[in-house]
């Protein structure tokens, strides 16, 4: 945990503020110029989107620095600073670290008191340390300014969100009135995914990957090869920091592509219906294969990632010193042994928790209040849809 002197030194120094003001000026000028190419009725929405992301990124940084006294964002930043020190002092060693495994031997061999030591749990988790590798470039550009880097990441997030928003507007018969508020101005997303965090990079990669997938399926796209390459790049980057999200992206993208191919057969009804039937059979076959392959008892019992997830979940559930006695802060899906029956039984609870929780009465804290309010909105919209 940081004390006040370390906070001033690492985050709020005069140099940090000076660089942050320069970054903010750059963003304002870039926004002014880029808005000239935006559709006339969307110019205000474009500027508001960027301002919204910048505001919540500053709120995120302030909350973590002053309230949490660092937290994960400090762990990423401190570890990136060490990696940057190695980059500036010994580039060959930096390249070796980039490609090396996060072992205890490498930790002791790569770093010393001159370079500093990264947070051990960051270095030894491949996904987390990959975030630090991405952040090195931002530290070099901003001369080590945490606030400046926060603003740059928020700007990148805003642009990625906007690109996908404009692309989605061209697809299908959508309600344009609701699209911008639900796509660009979600407070919890802008709070948790616009600062120095793993979630920020993950969401940026998701937005850009889906954007290029839609471009691949669009008839108006001229250079589809470039979109294909960028799709692969962003999916690879997503895999490096959040591997499980890759499956969550590929499944709907695959379904979207199948529907796209079937819709091309609209002029020949018999072929279209035949293709739909074949697609349904393929989906059922894949689901059956996945069930047999990944939900059988032997696979689950020998899968290290699954067993580690159960251990972590149980640690969270039993950690009343950190999370208090209130069970609402710790979701219990009823998974204890990891059997196939427990996994299937927990799916409705997991979906409900993922979409709707925390409920408003579970989110009466500054860091979660936006999530609680949004849950009420989601419930209202789904009920209205039904």
């Amino acid at each position: 945990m940081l004390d006040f002197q370390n906070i001033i030194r690492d985050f709020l120094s005069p140099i940090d503020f000076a660089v942050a003001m320069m970054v903010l000026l750059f963003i304002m000028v870039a926004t002014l110029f880029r808005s000239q190419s935006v559709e006339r009725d969307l110019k205000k929405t474009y500027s508001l989107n960027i301002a919204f992301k910048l505001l919540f990124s500053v709120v995120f940084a302030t909350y973590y620095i002053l309230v949490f006294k660092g937290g994960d964002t400090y762990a990423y930043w401190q570890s990136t600073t060490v990696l940057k020190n190695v980059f500036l002092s010994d580039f060959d060693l930096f390249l070796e670290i980039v490609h090396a495994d996060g072992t205890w031997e490498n930790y002791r061999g790569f770093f010393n008191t001159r370079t500093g030591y990264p947070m051990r749990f960051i270095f030894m988790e491949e996904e987390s340390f990959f975030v630090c590798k991405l952040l090195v470039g931002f530290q070099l550009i901003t001369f080590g300014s945490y606030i400046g880097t926060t603003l740059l990441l928020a700007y990148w997030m805003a642009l990625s969100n906007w690109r996908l928003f404009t692309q989605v507007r061209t697809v299908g018969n959508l309600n344009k009135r609701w699209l911008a508020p639900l796509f660009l101005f979600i407070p919890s997303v802008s709070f948790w995914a616009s600062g120095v965090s793993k979630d920020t990079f993950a969401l940026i990669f998701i937005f850009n990957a889906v954007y290029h997938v839609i471009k691949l399926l669009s008839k108006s796209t001229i250079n589809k090869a470039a979109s294909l390459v960028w799709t692969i790049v962003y999916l690879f980057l997503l895999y490096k920091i959040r591997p499980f999200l890759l499956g969550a992206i590929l499944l709907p993208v695959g379904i979207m592509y199948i529907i796209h191919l079937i819709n091309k057969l609209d002029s020949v009804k018999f072929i279209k219906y035949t293709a739909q039937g074949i697609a349904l059979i393929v989906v059922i076959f894949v689901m059956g294969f996945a069930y047999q392959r990944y939900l059988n008892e032997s696979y689950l019992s020998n899968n290290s990632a699954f067993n580690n997830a159960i251990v972590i979940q149980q640690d969270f559930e039993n950690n009343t010193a950190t999370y208090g006695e209130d069970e609402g802060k710790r979701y219990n899906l009823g998974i204890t042994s990891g059997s196939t029956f427990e996994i299937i039984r927990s799916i409705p609870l997991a979906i409900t928790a993922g979409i709707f929780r925390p409920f408003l009465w579970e989110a009466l804290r500054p860091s979660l209040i936006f999530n609680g309010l949004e849950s009420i909105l989601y419930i209202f919209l789904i009920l209205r849809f039904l």
Side-chain angles (χ1 to χ4, degrees):
M1 184 174 289
L2 293 169
D3 57 28
F4 185 73
Q5 288 184 342
N6 286 334
I7 290 175
I8 296 297
R9 182 195 65 199
D10 295 336
F11 299 109
L12 305 176
S13 68
I15 295 178
D16 191 84
F17 270 109
V19 173
M21 291 301 102
M22 292 177 61
V23 171
L24 183 60
L25 179 62
F26 162 77
I27 292 174
M28 293 173 63
V29 173
T31 301
L32 180 63
F33 276 97
R34 288 179 65 93
S35 64
Q36 303 305 314
S37 59
V38 175
E39 297 178 34
R40 187 171 183 178
D41 59 329
L42 292 178
K43 288 183 183 294
K44 186 177 180 180
T45 305
Y46 175 80
S47 300
L48 285 176
N49 168 54
I50 293 177
F52 192 77
K53 300 295 192 298
L54 293 177
L55 172 64
F56 275 93
S57 70
V58 173
V59 173
F60 173 86
T62 303
Y63 190 80
Y64 261 81
I65 293 171
L66 299 182
V67 179
F68 283 171
K69 296 295 189 292
D72 289 347
T73 187
Y74 175 73
Y76 286 122
W77 191 250
Q78 186 271 341
S79 302
T80 303
T81 301
V82 173
L83 201 54
K84 182 193 68 176
N85 294 339
V86 176
F87 175 88
L88 295 175
S89 61
D90 190 340
F91 185 69
D92 291 335
L93 178 60
F94 172 80
L95 293 179
E96 186 178 353
I97 292 174
V98 166
H99 295 96
D101 296 326
T103 63
W104 175 242
E105 291 75 15
N106 286 336
Y107 183 83
R108 291 186 301 176
F110 288 148
F111 308 105
N112 51 51
T113 54
R114 182 170 53 87
T115 62
Y117 291 88
M119 295 290 184
R120 189 162 50 182
F121 75 94
I122 293 288
F123 176 75
M124 294 185 176
E125 185 186 67
E126 182 180 355
E127 293 84 3
S128 295
F129 199 58
F130 188 77
V131 173
C132 297
K133 298 171 188 177
L134 296 175
L135 283 170
V136 168
F138 287 90
Q139 277 216 11
L140 293 172
I141 292 173
T142 63
F143 303 99
S145 171
Y146 173 79
I147 302 176
T149 297
T150 295
L151 294 175
L152 277 181
L153 285 172
Y155 183 57
W156 189 14
M157 167 61 73
L159 293 181
S160 302
N161 201 178
W162 179 261
R163 293 177 80 193
L164 184 56
F165 164 74
T166 55
Q167 195 68 33
V168 169
R169 288 182 83 249
T170 65
V171 178
N173 185 21
L174 299 174
N175 189 327
K176 301 297 192 296
R177 185 183 66 176
W178 284 97
L179 190 59
L182 295 178
F183 218 91
L184 302 174
F185 302 108
I186 302 178
S188 65
V189 173
S190 297
F191 177 82
W192 292 109
S194 289
V196 178
S197 72
K198 186 187 294 185
D199 293 333
T200 299
F201 284 105
L203 199 55
I204 287 173
F205 298 153
I206 289 173
F207 283 156
N208 284 284
V210 176
Y211 164 78
H212 284 290
V213 167
I214 295 176
K215 288 199 69 177
L216 276 173
L217 302 181
S218 175
K219 295 180 180 179
S220 60
T221 302
I222 299 175
N223 192 354
K224 293 195 175 186
S227 292
L228 177 61
V229 170
W230 279 114
T231 300
I232 295 172
V233 168
Y234 283 116
L235 289 178
F236 170 77
L237 291 172
L238 180 63
Y239 171 77
K240 295 294 290 184
I241 60 172
R242 292 286 194 198
F244 63 90
L245 286 178
L246 193 62
I249 291 297
L250 291 178
L251 179 61
V253 164
I255 293 174
M256 183 170 63
Y257 184 69
I258 291 173
I259 293 174
H260 170 75
L261 293 178
I262 292 175
N263 287 338
K264 283 188 173 182
L265 305 173
D266 194 52
S267 58
V268 186
K269 297 296 183 183
F270 174 76
I271 298 179
K272 178 180 178 180
Y273 294 145
T274 303
Q276 288 177 338
I278 294 174
L280 180 61
I281 293 172
V282 169
V283 169
I284 294 174
F285 173 79
V286 170
M287 292 176 64
F289 172 79
Y291 175 81
Q292 292 291 334
R293 175 67 177 83
Y294 299 110
L295 285 181
N296 62 77
E297 301 289 343
S298 61
Y299 178 84
L300 291 174
S301 61
N302 295 320
N303 187 276
S304 59
F306 179 74
N307 290 318
N308 288 337
I310 292 180
V311 172
I312 293 172
Q313 186 271 333
Q314 292 174 347
D315 289 342
F316 281 136
E317 185 177 350
N318 297 324
N319 192 354
T320 56
T322 301
Y323 297 99
E325 299 291 342
D326 183 9
E327 190 174 337
K329 298 177 183 178
R330 305 183 306 278
Y331 304 158
N332 188 346
L333 301 179
I335 300 176
T336 56
S337 64
S339 66
T340 302
F341 175 74
E342 281 187 342
I343 298 296
I344 296 175
R345 185 185 62 184
S346 68
I347 289 176
L349 295 175
I351 293 174
T352 300
I355 297 177
F356 299 116
R357 297 183 78 172
F359 299 122
L360 185 59
W361 57 88
E362 298 172 341
L364 300 178
R365 288 183 292 168
S367 59
L368 290 177
I369 189 64
F370 291 120
N371 301 72
L373 293 173
E374 289 162 13
S375 296
I376 298 296
L377 176 61
Y378 295 153
I379 293 172
F380 165 75
L381 291 175
I382 288 179
L383 291 175
R384 181 177 177 180
F385 172 79
L386 294 176

